[in-house]
Amino acid sequence: MSSDPYREEPGRDLSTWTLEKLQMFIHDARGQQLETARVAAQGQAYNSSHPQEARRQWAKLSLLANQRMLDNAEGRSAREAQQDFMLRMWVIDRLGPDATDPDWSPGALASDTLDALTFTSTQAAVLAEDWRDLPIEQIRELRWHKNLTAHLECLVGYLEPGPVRERLVAWTATRQLLP
């Protein structure tokens, strides 16, 4: 008999759990359990019947599960980074930015996005010209860059004019060229 209070049970629906119960679960969970918890918390954040502050708390919980998945992986996965960026952009766009919280700050999201990219927009554009002739690893990396920049068209509208915004605007044009 297992002493694990969160043991996998057939048909368990984490979307019915309270914020506190899911938070405790996330701290103990591993692997696919974290992905399931991330999705459940994100679903609650999207639920318009919840008050705005509760939706932000659910979104934070989803980000925590996503971060915990990264803790068990080598390096930052483009998939987890994209999930992080897209949820943060959704909160900024739907619930409003919050300069006091880096998760909901457009400037912080812009910086985090640029930090995740390994190519400049110019380098990516040059590679994209003949992407069909590239090794599969480089094609995959260009595709990751396309995914990591999916939120930029929305994000640039929240940024003040300046070098960071200009770099992101350049990425929005380059993104269209990527495989």
Side-chain angles (χ1 to χ4, degrees):
M1 198 143 279
S2 173
S3 63
D4 179 5
Y6 308 112
R7 188 173 54 86
E8 284 293 323
E9 301 165 9
R12 178 174 51 179
D13 182 4
L14 301 184
S15 70
T16 64
W17 288 15
T18 65
L19 183 85
E20 294 75 20
K21 184 174 180 180
L22 192 58
Q23 186 171 24
M24 288 178 11
F25 175 76
I26 287 170
H27 283 288
D28 297 331
R30 300 275 183 268
Q32 186 59 41
Q33 291 176 327
L34 284 168
E35 175 64 8
T36 302
R38 182 195 69 77
V39 170
Q42 184 171 309
Q44 293 292 352
Y46 291 164
N47 186 339
S48 62
S49 70
H50 293 311
Q52 185 171 326
E53 190 51 40
R55 295 171 79 186
R56 286 182 188 272
Q57 290 174 330
W58 282 108
K60 280 277 192 193
L61 197 54
S62 181
L63 292 175
L64 174 64
N66 197 48
Q67 182 60 47
R68 294 265 348 277
M69 284 189 287
L70 292 173
D71 291 345
N72 297 327
E74 292 182 24
R76 184 159 186 151
S77 154
R79 182 174 170 270
E80 280 85 14
Q82 182 201 21
Q83 290 169 345
D84 180 286
F85 297 162
M86 294 301 289
L87 180 57
R88 289 169 64 191
M89 185 70 252
W90 182 88
V91 169
I92 290 167
D93 196 44
R94 299 290 176 93
L95 305 178
D98 181 353
T100 66
D101 186 330
D103 288 332
W104 318 136
S105 164
L109 179 54
S111 294
D112 292 347
T113 302
L114 290 171
D115 289 346
L117 302 173
T118 57
F119 296 135
T120 66
S121 61
T122 304
Q123 291 169 326
V126 168
L127 287 169
E129 287 177 12
D130 297 312
W131 70 266
R132 287 177 181 83
D133 298 329
L134 295 174
I136 191 72
E137 294 80 20
Q138 279 192 308
I139 295 170
R140 183 178 299 121
E141 195 166 358
L142 288 174
R143 186 69 186 161
W144 286 341
H145 279 70
K146 186 171 190 170
N147 291 338
L148 289 172
T149 56
H151 62 289
L152 294 186
E153 284 189 31
C154 189
L155 179 59
V156 296
Y158 287 92
L159 301 173
E160 297 293 324
V164 169
R165 186 178 189 280
E166 289 173 20
R167 287 175 62 195
L168 295 179
V169 167
W171 265 107
T172 62
T174 299
R175 186 174 187 280
Q176 298 174 21
L177 307 173
L178 300 177

